[in-house]
Amino acid sequence: MPDKPKVAFYWCASCGGCEEAVVDLAEDILKVVEAVDIVLWPVAMDFKKTDVEARPDGSIAVAFINGAVRTSEQEEWARMLRRKAQVVVSFGACANLGGIPALANQFKKEDILKFVYEDCPGVDNPSRTRPQTSTVDEGRTVTLPEIRNMVRSLDQVIDVDYYLPGCPPTPKIIMAAVQAILAGKLPAKGTVLSPDIALCEECKRKDSKPADLSLTEFKRPHQIQIDPEKCLLAQGLVCMGPATRSGCEALCPSGNMPCTGCFGPSSRVKDQGAKFVSSVFSNIAPKEAADIDKVLDGIPDPIGTFYRYGLSKCILRRKIN
Amino acid sequence: MSKPMEQGAGAGFEPRIVAFFCNWCTYTAADLAGVSRLKYAPNVRVIRVMCSGRVDPQFVMEAFAKGADGVLLGGCHPGDCHYAEGNYKTLRRMRMLERMLKDMGIADGRFRLEWISGAEGDKVKSVVNDMVAKVRALGPLDLPGKFAEWDKEIEELEHQISAQPAKEAVHAR
Amino acid sequence: MKYLYFPGCSLKGTGKAYEESLLAVFRALGVELKEIEDWNCCGATAYMSVDETKSYALAGRNLAIAEREGLDVIAPCSACYLVLNKTQKNLQDHADIRRKVVAALKTAGLDYKGTVRVRHPLDVLINDVGLDAIAQRIQAPLKGHKFAPYYGCQIVRPYATFDDQDDPVTMDRIIKAAGADCVTYPLKTRCCGGSLTGTVPEAGLRLAYILLKEAKKRGAEAVVTVCPLCQFNLDGYQDQIARKYEALDLPVVYFTQILGLAMGLPAAGLGMQRGIVSADAVLAGR
Amino acid sequence: MADNNGNKPQPIGLPRIGFYVCHCGSNIAGTIDVAEVAQFVAGLPGVVVSRDYKYMCSDPGQEMIAQDIKEHKLDRLVVAACSPNLHEETFRKAAAKGGLNSFLFQMVNIREHASWVHEDKKAATAKAKGLARAAVYRVRFHKPLEKQQVPVDPNVLVVGGGIAGIHAALTLANAGKKVTLVEREATIGGHMALFDKTFPTLDCAACILTPKMSAVKSHPNITLWTYSEVAKVDGYVGNYKVTVKRKPRYVKEDLCVGCMECIDACVFKEPKFTDQFNQGLGKRKPVYIDFPQATPKVVLIDPQSCIQLKTGKCKKSCAEACDRDAIDFTQKEETRELQVGAIVLATGFQAFDAKKEPRYGYGRYPGVYTALEIERLVNASGPTSGEVVLRDGRHPKSVGIIHCVGSRDAKTNKWCSRVCCMYSLKLAHLIQEHSGAEVYNFYIDMRAPGKAYEEFYDKLLSEGVHFIRGRVSEVTDWAMTPEEEGKLVLRVEDTLAGFVRRIPVDMVVLATGLEPKADAQEVRRRFNIGCGNEGFFQERHPKLAPVNTFTDGIFIAGACQAPRDIPDTVAQAGAAAAEALVLIDAGHVELEPNTSHVVEEECCGCKSCVPLCPYGAITFDEAKKKASINEVLCKGCGVCAAACPSGSIRQNLFEDEEIFSEIEGVLAK
């Protein structure tokens, strides 16, 4: 009897939500466990780096890697798993697009460290001590991973075969992906494993969207009583749905919150934020620059709004300074 | 223009500017500048679109990412769009794009939106010359160079790893 | 309505009648004029040709003081009006001049942002007060009187902010509102002889003579003007003109005096007695 | 490492690109090293043939392309030459001749955008290379496309009934086309109808114009709508829908025969209202006709002065006098719609308002006249029956004509109005002839460039008319000497004699220039065409397409495009008519295939695109819940393609990949 396919799960800069998503497969996880041999899963099982290193290259069938890449250690793991695995699946918004951690690309590394270790209210660090990558203590050298200057998506570090979108990916698309992999029915390399059509397609509010929005004002969710039936954009909320891939079954709009774009853009779009801006702002009501600006003022943090999950994949990649 | 003014830039820095000109007004104005033999700085490369409204903010970002030091967008004057109101759509989305570019650290002056009618060949000249001078003063943006510079930190590790002998020379793919 | 008032040297000296009549008329129209505190020379005179920057700084000081009040400035004297406007415009248009002037003002603890509007009383009367409001105040219309409206060179050139450069009409409208008639006077904006009377007297006298003679020929009983320098020149040299050409005995008065009379204000309070050529003809019948 | 740009679409097939760079004589080759460009492009991936040639647009140039396509099995074509606005079609045809789809071609503009505007040869060559590389990169993504054919409506609209509109309408009608001529005023004839004689031949304007006017009226192919204005234009070349507003004249046009009995019968015994046709020099009644030969010869009633229309309380003696019951006080404005394939705009000019030049005293001195007023004064059917008489009844013994009023002047209009020198000579002759007065011309330069024009100037010189070279500084009634008493004095620096002169005259004539109509901007927006900086309608090309506009199917003729005289206007009107005929007789137009389309399976139905289309070409299919674009209505602006948030709309010839690769091409190092 041939060995069961070996599967690895790994996390880089992530919140752990993607791991939760795997657990959320509920009883389905048993089917997975039955079908595969898990050789790495730091959140749940005890494997050492050396265990993985010891495996021959290409001996792992699939590695699911979630989280963005910010440290040298994450890079090292990613590169190792790339060598060991036949298929690498970039798992979740952070690995795919940089995710929430990538919002740090608006700031210099030094400014972040300074804030975290010195200026942040509540920090008591009079000697301004910072973690060092290398410290000699009693003759022994202790090392820590290095923090990189910017946050990268997984595919900016290693070659990626497939992408599972979402923050986190929903159990449904995870299961579909796992089944496809196990059955060997894989699409073309580089495919994002969710429908290549925007979210409105599966949004229950779709029919309530008027063609002509001509917005005169943008609002934030806490500022209004959100109508649970009506298109959220039509209510003046920034709903990224039209510029975001579907597959989540419009979870956020169903929960009365606008889509924030975690599934990333369609395959036809390079830059989700730029494209969303192009669509929604072309048709705001005012015509004069000053009046237009007033409407734009309703979005105090454009980068944080339009690149909530995608700043690593913005064409410009990070703030230039 | 053969006399570069080195200001905040290396000697002889020649800005590279990508321009998107609408066919009916600004592209025609550039044609008129040619027919009138006006002389202006050779730093601008024009990409023709039918309407400034065809210009997707992605194009502007892509131009910067591929090495443009400046991006110029030219359309018909408000009220004069060949397609009725295309230029208003341009204006609205580009106002937002300007804010985003600023937040991303791309200096004011590197992206410019100008209304130039088909009769304003001289305005093509003055806008191009002015923009070239201003971008020259800002210095090179050179995003491709910056991207390479940024990625050096991860390439080092890649080199280290690839320098080690592989545990097993089998690679499944 | 409230304005700052920049008198300049003329209105405190040779143009006293202008100041008296202007203040009286504006008061009667309910317009408050507040004299600019500690004003200095407007910067006209020969200063401009000696040192432009200092001249702008001189004018700029007045503007800087005025700016603190946040009101429009009324400059009745044509020379002040022109110099202050010229300074204002050049400070706006030329960053280098602005830098120098602002630096100079700083040394005196002043700053100038460039927000002051310098206005002429004609502009304020026509555009802010309005002819309707003026008409309501006319109590003793100057029926049957005919005047030659004379604007001089400075208030319409080079800046034509409130009237036409070649054919200004604002004062004509005020004279008509006062119930009087205007003779057709094509010499409205020609040179009065101005400072030439001091340097090349024969040329200056001739120019003044032409203006006066033509006004008289066209049936005017007085020349009405807006400029203390023109008034002084046309009024003060009539004896010399009489010796050289002919006696004309034509009073030269300010438009504010005419308006004041029509509004029924007492002649003495309007400085009617101050002219060298007697203004009795204008006062006839009152 | 993956490309930051995500899924990159691949170019279609393995390209075999042919590249051609044109010398354009020395126009390009003088500044750009074309051989270097050709050599550079030869090294780019996919380029099979790369050549430079003296004149690519010549027959041998085109033939070379066609040959190469066959011989080298080229599947893409790039030509670097002049502006695509000039020769794109030429090379598309050359491609087709070689058996290649016309749209697998991209043109590079290295003349207007490079060789003509740069002096530095190295920089210009580098620019040409960058632009050529962009086209080579881009053309790989081109797809074969077909032009859509749309039938052309054979009917034509002519707007403006001056000599330009009249001539264009007659030409088209004589060619068998149905023409509607729309004129804003109550009669056609335009400015020419105001003139007495025409220069340089001095033939009577009415004698040559009125036969054409009546030909318009009686032509079976012409529908004449005077007192009407175009309110709206929809549609596109070959298929315009035009809305025309017809103002009420309170007289039934089909019943009135122009007997003018109603005018005699009007309750106003004497004419007392300003007669605009006679430039305010004469008077008319509330019911009137502009001039005896007015066409249509139908009276009209002015609602501002007619007692019946103002108060409803008149005994209506005019209506009683009309035995055909043509007078109808209840008429209302009517709106009519027309379908036409082509439009000729001949909306003319307006004369400069002389009041804007107060130093010449127009409106202040009764002795100052505009040229158009003099045209009426010297006209036998004018208010004085041709007698040159001043407003105060005196006969002028001396007349000064000031040239360039509102022309060649930085303060008013900068341009030369082209006709004023000549009409001033004509008026000088006519005034002298009619009154025997001394006539002085004050000119800056005498401009007489036309057939027999200089000879006409010579004739005037020999007639004893005075010519003083200098711009008049003012017109005044201030007399400096007894001889000047009661005169208008023109003060002028005589630049030939070198001193300032004062010339006293009885009458001053201002040769006012020609300027765009006050509503030219509104009108050109209505017809979606352009205006130059000075406000005249913009032609498609100043030399090669002088009657075309940037909107296909709309042509311009006469002084709406620039100041011009009658012979030039008539020639241009004929040209505009011919261009319209070319369009109509082709029977159909080919529309640029640069339309957009929605890829249905990619569309999520968010409707973001729907409101962006100014032509209503995008609709939302409620059954499929998808957007769709009607490609006949689409005019190819691409605003929807730029805005589709999921990239599901493509614009032919301007697809994302084409533009992205062009960006890459101009920037590659």
Side-chain angles (χ1 to χ4, degrees):
Chain A
M1 189 179 150
D3 284 349
K4 287 194 276 185
K6 295 180 174 53
V7 172
F9 292 96
Y10 192 71
W11 54 357
C12 293
S14 72
C15 65
C18 285
E19 312 286 347
E20 289 287 344
V22 176
V23 179
D24 269 355
L25 291 176
E27 52 267 34
D28 279 348
I29 194 149
L30 299 174
K31 289 186 210 157
V32 176
V33 170
E34 201 171 292
V36 304
D37 208 356
I38 296 175
V39 296
L40 174 71
W41 196 5
V43 77
M45 297 162 81
D46 186 14
F47 292 102
K48 302 294 182 220
K49 189 178 172 194
T50 47
D51 300 336
V52 184
E53 261 173 347
R55 292 188 179 277
D57 285 359
S59 62
I60 297 172
V62 195
F64 293 92
I65 306 177
N66 71 68
V69 183
R70 173 113 223 193
T71 69
S72 55
E73 187 202 21
Q74 290 156 357
E75 245 175 82
E76 231 178 294
W77 271 97
R79 289 183 198 285
M80 180 171 71
L81 287 169
R82 174 68 274 181
R83 275 204 318 278
K84 304 295 173 195
Q86 294 169 30
V87 171
V88 170
V89 177
S90 174
F91 192 100
C94 297
N96 292 359
L97 312 163
I100 299 283
L103 288 170
N105 283 354
Q106 295 176 89
F107 309 94
K108 282 189 229 167
K109 179 172 106 178
E110 169 56 24
D111 294 345
I112 294 170
L113 291 174
K114 189 164 180 293
F115 182 80
V116 171
Y117 291 103
E118 296 171 26
D119 301 343
C120 179
V123 167
D124 181 19
N125 182 9
S127 57
R128 299 188 176 181
T129 308
R130 299 246 191 115
Q132 302 298 308
T133 50
S134 176
T135 313
V136 179
D137 185 34
E138 294 174 8
R140 286 176 302 171
T141 305
V142 183
T143 58
L144 273 179
E146 187 170 336
I147 288 204
R148 297 305 196 195
N149 283 306
M150 59 192 282
V151 178
R152 291 180 172 80
S153 61
L154 186 62
D155 65 6
Q156 287 171 341
V157 178
I158 61 165
D159 197 25
V160 163
D161 298 291
Y162 299 105
Y163 300 82
L164 263 171
C167 179
T170 57
K172 190 175 165 187
I173 68 164
I174 297 174
M175 207 50 216
V178 169
Q179 279 165 353
I181 292 166
L182 290 177
K185 286 180 185 161
L186 284 164
K189 188 183 167 201
T191 303
V192 179
L193 302 173
S194 82
D196 198 1
I197 190 164
L199 186 66
C200 304
E201 172 77 6
E202 52 189 21
C203 181
K204 289 186 190 69
R205 300 173 191 244
K206 176 173 165 179
D207 289 344
S208 68
K209 187 181 186 221
D212 194 355
L213 289 178
S214 295
L215 291 175
T216 53
E217 195 184 1
F218 282 95
K219 294 169 197 125
R220 298 163 76 189
H222 64 274
Q223 293 170 321
I224 57 165
Q225 198 80 43
I226 302 174
D227 181 328
E229 308 287 331
K230 198 174 152 196
C231 170
L232 294 152
L233 261 173
Q235 298 182 56
L237 295 166
V238 175
C239 177
M240 295 275 286
T244 304
R245 216 176 245 275
S246 57
C248 66
E249 295 163 282
L251 271 180
C252 295
S254 306
N256 214 23
M257 285 304 272
C259 169
T260 48
C262 70
F263 266 51
S266 81
S267 67
R268 281 95 55 193
V269 173
K270 277 175 192 262
D271 189 304
Q272 189 183 10
K275 199 77 215 207
F276 179 77
V277 163
S278 191
S279 100
V280 168
F281 293 92
S282 297
N283 193 37
I284 57 173
K287 283 182 167 182
E288 302 294 326
D291 302 331
I292 294 169
D293 284 350
K294 265 184 230 152
V295 177
L296 302 192
D297 288 344
I299 295 171
D301 175 17
I303 300 298
T305 308
F306 306 130
Y307 296 96
R308 174 91 37 101
Y309 301 93
L311 197 51
S312 286
K313 283 299 189 72
C314 168
I315 293 174
L316 303 173
R317 294 188 59 182
R318 65 158 297 146
K319 180 167 180 175
I320 298 131
N321 39 34
Chain B
M1 275 200 337
S2 50
K3 36 181 191 332
M5 327 179 299
E6 293 93 52
Q7 236 185 313
F13 162 59
E14 282 300 332
R16 303 201 299 159
I17 293 171
V18 174
F20 297 95
F21 282 177
C22 84
N23 182 62
W24 305 99
C25 287
T26 316
Y27 193 90
T28 305
D31 277 2
L32 177 63
V35 172
S36 320
R37 307 298 200 278
L38 303 178
K39 302 295 175 211
Y40 58 84
N43 307 55
V44 173
R45 309 281 183 265
V46 176
I47 292 175
R48 172 169 162 257
V49 285
M50 295 312 286
C51 175
S52 61
R54 174 65 187 96
V55 179
D56 183 330
Q58 292 188 105
F59 299 167
V60 178
M61 287 192 177
E62 178 76 359
F64 283 124
K66 286 284 190 283
D69 300 300
V71 177
L72 171 62
L73 173 49
C76 309
H77 285 271
D80 289 2
C81 177
H82 186 81
Y83 302 104
E85 298 209 326
N87 49 3
Y88 288 111
K89 289 147 201 165
T90 310
L91 175 66
R92 293 174 189 136
R93 62 167 91 112
M94 294 305 161
R95 290 300 282 190
M96 187 39 117
L97 177 69
E98 278 177 344
R99 291 180 178 214
M100 289 158 58
L101 291 176
K102 204 174 162 192
D103 287 353
M104 291 298 276
I106 293 188
D108 276 353
R110 289 202 189 270
F111 172 67
R112 189 156 162 174
L113 173 59
E114 288 282 349
W115 308 132
I116 304 177
S117 82
E120 293 176 318
D122 50 342
K123 192 170 175 189
V124 170
K125 173 185 161 153
S126 60
V127 164
V128 165
N129 283 344
D130 184 64
M131 182 157 180
V132 168
K134 285 185 173 144
V135 173
R136 199 193 300 281
L138 288 169
L141 179 63
D142 188 24
L143 282 190
K146 286 197 170 73
F147 291 168
E149 184 65 32
W150 294 342
D151 282 340
K152 265 191 193 150
E153 62 180 8
I154 59 168
E155 276 159 22
E156 277 162 24
L157 189 62
E158 170 82 23
H159 292 317
Q160 269 176 38
I161 292 168
S162 54
Q164 291 167 5
K167 288 259 159 67
E168 201 168 316
V170 192
H171 202 292
R173 292 171 313 119
Chain C
M1 259 181 269
K2 189 175 175 184
Y3 301 85
L4 287 174
Y5 164 52
F6 181 84
C9 59
S10 292
L11 273 80
K12 296 292 181 188
T14 54
K16 192 80 190 152
Y18 195 2
E19 175 169 71
E20 287 167 346
S21 55
L22 176 89
L23 296 180
V25 163
F26 273 64
R27 196 179 312 120
L29 287 168
V31 181
E32 194 180 331
L33 293 187
K34 184 185 171 201
E35 189 166 322
I36 295 181
E37 196 185 316
D38 192 30
W39 56 269
N40 54 262
C41 169
C42 70
T45 73
Y47 226 142
M48 194 56 87
S49 44
V50 179
D51 188 328
E52 257 194 331
T53 310
K54 282 184 187 150
S55 165
Y56 287 132
L58 209 53
R61 182 176 177 275
N62 293 316
L63 295 172
I65 295 171
E67 194 173 52
R68 298 192 296 219
E69 307 274 343
L71 295 170
D72 285 3
V73 172
I74 292 185
C77 165
S78 298
C80 303
Y81 175 77
L82 176 60
V83 170
L84 291 176
N85 263 309
K86 179 175 168 182
T87 305
Q88 171 71 356
K89 181 154 172 50
N90 287 344
L91 288 183
Q92 243 164 35
D93 293 354
H94 303 284
D96 49 333
I97 299 180
R98 184 170 62 243
R99 250 192 321 274
K100 285 183 198 163
V101 169
V102 168
L105 291 173
K106 277 251 157 63
T107 62
L110 290 166
D111 187 28
Y112 184 53
K113 291 188 189 62
T115 58
V116 172
R117 274 173 80 203
V118 181
R119 317 265 311 267
H120 194 270
L122 274 178
D123 175 12
V124 171
L125 285 174
I126 294 282
N127 295 314
D128 296 7
V129 177
L131 281 173
D132 288 347
I134 293 172
Q136 281 175 11
R137 303 281 316 187
I138 302 296
Q139 287 167 10
L142 296 159
K143 283 232 162 57
H145 291 276
K146 282 170 92 174
F147 301 118
Y150 176 66
Y151 294 76
C153 58
Q154 299 194 102
I155 67 164
V156 287
R157 289 197 288 264
Y159 313 119
T161 44
F162 66 93
D163 211 339
D164 188 83
Q165 288 186 320
D166 294 304
D167 185 26
V169 293
T170 42
M171 180 163 55
D172 297 42
R173 293 167 71 192
I174 288 184
I175 293 171
K176 283 175 190 157
D181 274 339
C182 289
V183 301
T184 309
Y185 193 55
L187 309 178
K188 277 177 174 182
T189 63
R190 278 178 86 94
C191 181
C192 69
S195 35
L196 279 174
T197 36
T199 49
V200 194
E202 52 287 8
L205 281 185
R206 183 171 164 271
L207 290 168
Y209 166 59
I210 287 172
L211 292 184
L212 292 165
K213 189 188 93 171
E214 195 62 26
K216 187 149 191 167
K217 192 172 122 192
R218 287 170 187 261
E221 61 200 51
V223 170
V224 182
T225 185
V226 301
C227 174
L229 310 168
C230 300
Q231 194 279 338
F232 178 76
N233 214 43
L234 295 175
D235 183 30
Y237 289 92
Q238 286 200 24
D239 58 337
Q240 286 192 40
I241 290 169
R243 277 199 294 278
K244 192 156 188 227
Y245 300 101
E246 58 180 300
L248 292 163
D249 280 326
L250 194 65
V252 183
V253 298
Y254 296 103
F255 75 102
T256 41
Q257 293 179 298
I258 294 298
L259 185 54
L261 286 177
M263 286 164 70
L265 304 175
L270 298 168
M272 291 305 293
Q273 74 291 354
R274 290 190 188 271
I276 292 170
V277 176
S278 158
D280 285 353
V282 182
L283 295 171
R286 50 191 69 224
Chain D
M1 207 167 303
D3 191 309
N4 181 45
N5 302 326
N7 296 342
K8 194 169 179 174
Q10 291 303 304
I12 308 147
L14 285 170
R16 292 183 64 81
I17 303 171
F19 175 79
Y20 302 85
V21 54
C22 179
H23 296 215
C24 194
S26 63
N27 279 306
I28 293 171
T31 315
I32 289 169
D33 185 339
V34 286
E36 193 185 319
V37 174
Q39 200 188 356
F40 166 79
V41 173
L44 294 175
V47 176
V48 178
V49 177
S50 180
R51 302 181 196 279
D52 60 280
Y53 186 70
K54 201 110 189 121
Y55 287 104
M56 281 313 303
C57 63
S58 66
D59 283 347
Q62 295 183 52
E63 194 50 44
M64 177 166 75
I65 291 174
Q67 275 299 318
D68 279 354
I69 291 172
K70 288 176 194 151
E71 197 174 314
H72 297 277
K73 299 190 169 39
L74 301 181
D75 60 10
R76 294 290 186 281
L77 172 66
V78 175
V79 177
C82 51
S83 170
N85 286 329
L86 224 55
H87 273 310
E88 191 170 48
E89 270 314 305
T90 309
F91 297 116
R92 280 179 177 174
K93 281 184 192 131
K97 206 172 163 198
L100 187 65
N101 180 284
S102 298
F103 298 94
L104 298 172
F105 155 69
Q106 175 71 8
M107 189 151 180
V108 190
N109 184 346
I110 58 165
R111 192 180 73 176
E112 282 81 348
H113 286 199
S115 69
W116 276 352
V117 287
H118 306 314
E119 282 163 325
D120 180 340
K121 291 187 180 179
K122 249 181 95 180
T125 304
K127 181 171 179 176
K129 284 185 197 170
L131 292 171
R133 177 174 48 207
V136 167
Y137 283 11
R138 163 196 235 279
V139 81
R140 291 179 295 168
F141 292 93
H142 281 213
K143 293 172 188 161
L145 297 168
E146 294 303 329
K147 282 191 172 182
Q148 234 188 116
Q149 290 202 341
V150 180
V152 172
D153 190 307
N155 300 336
V156 186
L157 167 69
V158 176
V159 185
I163 182 59
I166 289 172
H167 188 75
L170 285 172
T171 308
L172 287 159
N174 289 339
K177 307 302 169 205
K178 295 282 181 203
V179 179
T180 304
L181 176 59
V182 171
E183 164 61 45
R184 175 182 286 174
E185 303 296 335
T187 172
I188 56 171
H191 279 96
M192 189 173 170
L194 301 172
F195 303 158
D196 178 40
K197 299 275 174 12
T198 56
F199 62 78
T201 46
L202 294 176
D203 40 355
C204 148
C207 311
I208 54 177
L209 178 64
T210 45
K212 294 191 80 129
M213 288 165 63
S214 41
V216 166
K217 181 69 195 144
S218 58
H219 204 297
N221 285 342
I222 298 180
T223 306
L224 175 59
W225 286 351
T226 56
Y227 222 43
S228 304
E229 285 191 54
V230 173
K232 199 164 160 242
V233 181
D234 290 316
Y236 54 95
V237 54
N239 298 274
Y240 288 108
K241 193 174 94 185
V242 183
T243 310
V244 179
K245 292 227 155 67
R246 304 207 62 198
K247 289 178 275 187
R249 50 204 303 157
Y250 305 105
V251 174
K252 290 177 183 149
E253 212 175 310
D254 47 343
L255 294 180
C256 175
V257 289
C259 69
M260 302 198 269
E261 304 248 328
C262 51
I263 301 179
D264 287 340
C266 177
V267 293
F268 285 96
K269 285 297 156 235
E270 291 302 321
K272 61 172 286 205
F273 301 100
T274 307
D275 174 1
Q276 267 96 12
F277 185 80
N278 278 320
Q279 306 297 303
L281 292 172
K283 300 283 181 205
R284 59 156 174 78
K285 294 183 179 180
V287 53
Y288 67 104
I289 190 161
D290 278 325
F291 62 110
Q293 298 92 342
T295 306
K297 196 167 184 198
V298 173
V299 298
L300 70 156
I301 299 173
D302 166 26
Q304 306 301 318
S305 49
C306 168
I307 293 177
Q308 175 61 22
L309 288 169
K310 272 168 73 179
T311 65
K313 288 176 197 150
C314 180
K315 54 182 184 172
K316 295 178 270 188
S317 46
C318 55
E320 280 167 27
C322 182
D323 53 14
R324 297 174 62 87
D325 286 333
I327 290 182
D328 174 8
F329 291 107
T330 65
Q331 257 183 13
K332 294 271 177 297
E333 183 178 85
E334 286 176 37
T335 302
R336 302 278 188 87
E337 275 189 3
L338 284 174
Q339 285 286 348
V340 296
I343 299 173
V344 176
L345 282 179
T347 53
F349 67 95
Q350 70 181 26
F352 173 77
D353 176 5
K355 284 198 173 126
K356 289 187 186 155
E357 196 70 287
R359 61 198 173 129
Y360 293 154
Y362 181 75
R364 208 155 18 110
Y365 301 126
V368 182
Y369 291 79
T370 65
L372 279 178
E373 287 170 342
I374 301 299
E375 293 282 1
R376 298 310 300 152
L377 273 190
V378 295
N379 194 310
S381 66
T384 59
S385 307
E387 198 183 352
V388 180
V389 53
L390 290 161
R391 286 187 174 95
D392 60 9
R394 287 183 301 136
H395 288 84
K397 296 200 169 42
S398 50
V399 178
I401 303 177
I402 305 178
H403 291 216
C404 300
V405 178
S407 300
R408 304 183 70 194
D409 179 4
K411 280 204 298 185
T412 55
N413 296 328
K414 285 186 181 165
W415 57 88
C416 166
S417 294
R418 274 190 69 184
V419 296
C420 322
C421 281
M422 293 309 296
Y423 80 57
S424 295
L425 292 176
K426 173 190 77 179
L427 292 177
H429 171 89
L430 294 174
I431 290 167
Q432 206 179 38
E433 188 181 77
H434 288 229
S435 68
E438 289 283 319
V439 183
Y440 300 85
N441 271 278
F442 299 89
Y443 67 100
I444 307 176
D445 298 292
M446 188 57 71
R447 295 187 169 176
K451 190 172 181 179
Y453 287 12
E454 184 69 16
E455 295 90 322
F456 186 60
Y457 176 32
D458 279 346
K459 173 179 149 75
L460 265 284
L461 283 169
S462 69
E463 284 178 1
V465 170
H466 306 280
F467 289 89
I468 296 171
R469 185 170 174 276
R471 179 157 228 155
V472 174
S473 68
E474 71 171 335
V475 173
T476 178
D477 67 347
W478 163 57
M480 214 170 159
T481 59
E483 300 80 63
E484 290 178 359
E485 290 295 344
K487 302 271 189 183
L488 290 169
V489 181
L490 290 85
R491 214 153 63 99
V492 59
E493 182 190 359
D494 185 331
T495 57
L496 294 179
F499 58 87
V500 174
R501 295 176 70 173
R502 290 174 63 91
I503 313 279
V505 296
D506 296 319
M507 175 189 242
V508 173
V509 180
L510 304 180
T512 46
L514 276 54
E515 59 183 23
K517 281 238 188 251
D519 61 350
Q521 293 288 344
E522 274 167 60
V523 170
R524 64 129 185 132
R525 286 199 177 121
R526 202 167 298 149
F527 289 90
N528 198 19
I529 63 168
C531 267
N533 288 342
E534 68 301 295
F536 290 109
F537 294 160
Q538 180 85 18
E539 63 284 353
R540 191 175 186 116
H541 190 281
K543 283 134 193 144
L544 301 179
V547 298
N548 301 69
T549 65
F550 282 102
T551 300
D552 288 336
I554 298 191
F555 307 96
I556 47 179
C560 61
Q561 184 254 350
R564 54 171 40 86
D565 57 19
I566 295 167
D568 285 4
T569 296
V570 171
Q572 212 193 11
E579 291 283 354
L581 288 173
V582 168
L583 172 69
I584 292 165
D585 285 348
H588 62 265
V589 277
E590 291 190 320
L591 300 183
E592 268 293 298
N594 58 11
T595 50
S596 296
H597 56 277
V598 177
V599 180
E600 199 181 293
E601 59 275 20
E602 295 171 0
C603 172
C604 74
C606 73
K607 302 179 209 158
S608 303
C609 53
V610 176
L612 296 177
C613 182
Y615 308 105
I618 311 181
T619 48
F620 188 72
D621 183 331
E622 287 292 348
K624 291 182 180 164
K625 307 275 182 208
K626 309 267 179 193
S628 85
I629 296 176
N630 178 338
E631 292 187 33
V632 175
L633 295 178
C634 171
K635 293 195 182 174
C637 67
V639 73
C640 55
C644 173
S646 61
S648 308
I649 298 181
R650 315 273 205 282
Q651 184 189 8
N652 288 335
L653 291 172
F654 295 92
E655 297 210 19
D656 280 359
E657 299 82 59
E658 290 166 347
I659 297 173
F660 280 132
S661 56
E662 213 174 340
I663 294 170
E664 194 182 345
V666 291
L667 288 166
K669 274 193 174 162

